[in-house]
Amino acid sequence: MDSATLYNIVKTLHILSAVIITGTGFGTAFYLFMVNRSGSLASQAVVARLVCRADFWFTTPAVIFQPLSGVWLMYQIKMPWSATWIWTTFALFVFAGLCWLPVVKWQLDMARLAEQAVADGASSVPPEYNRLAKKWETLGYPAFMAVVIIFFLMVLKPM
């Protein structure tokens, strides 16, 4: 395989991983946000569990691949680290990751709490679930905005 073909394959996978991070993040956040307002305990238990799975199956591999492929692509086109959009993108990626890590922990806790409430025959999630859901939203918004800004920086590449 020639270097141009390899570059285009890695670039395509880089773009796809960015789409997976953004799409999975927005999609799962939408469903968990909406189900948390539904009042349906059984639905909350199912959706919280599936959101955790989506993060581990889709988001986590994309989050690992994204910076590795980004650095490789930079090296291939000899993009300097001094380019403002590059270091801004990496800073925003780290920021989003620092928001995402506690969010993942809270999602796991929310799923456990909802499933336990179903098993106990409760009619709603416990107050701790709602407290975690508020924290989850509080960090979710800035993390998602950081990812959207990263998209613009990757496309526009302002120098």
Side-chain angles (χ1 to χ4, degrees):
M1 174 180 326
D2 65 62
S3 62
T5 301
L6 179 60
Y7 176 85
N8 284 326
I9 289 170
V10 173
K11 184 176 179 180
T12 300
L13 293 173
H14 183 76
I15 293 166
L16 285 173
S17 69
V19 170
I20 288 169
I21 290 169
T22 309
T24 304
F26 185 76
T28 58
F30 171 79
Y31 284 110
L32 193 54
F33 178 87
M34 295 305 287
V35 80
N36 284 343
R37 283 145 181 80
S38 73
S40 172
L41 173 59
S43 297
Q44 285 176 285
V46 170
V47 171
R49 178 173 39 85
L50 293 176
V51 164
C52 294
R53 283 188 188 167
D55 263 348
F56 286 113
W57 293 351
F58 304 113
T59 309
T60 299
V63 163
I64 293 166
F65 182 76
Q66 188 75 159
L68 298 175
S69 60
V71 169
W72 187 87
L73 291 165
M74 282 177 53
Y75 176 75
Q76 296 305 305
I77 63 170
K78 298 176 178 32
M79 174 66 67
W81 280 96
S82 60
T84 303
W85 77 271
I86 290 288
W87 59 261
T88 304
T89 297
F90 275 94
L92 287 167
F93 190 82
V94 169
F95 171 77
L98 291 173
C99 291
W100 180 63
L101 290 172
V103 162
V104 170
K105 164 77 168 86
W106 297 331
Q107 286 172 181
L108 290 166
D109 291 344
M110 289 162 62
R112 181 185 46 77
L113 288 166
E115 288 178 358
Q116 187 61 54
V118 168
D120 292 345
S123 60
S124 64
V125 292
E128 176 67 6
Y129 180 101
N130 293 322
R131 189 182 69 74
L132 291 170
K134 285 180 183 169
K135 290 170 60 173
W136 174 83
E137 283 184 36
T138 300
L139 281 186
Y141 294 125
F144 186 74
M145 289 309 302
V147 171
V148 169
I149 293 167
I150 290 169
F151 246 102
F152 277 96
L153 290 172
M154 287 191 324
V155 171
L156 299 175
K157 296 177 181 58
M159 294 302 222

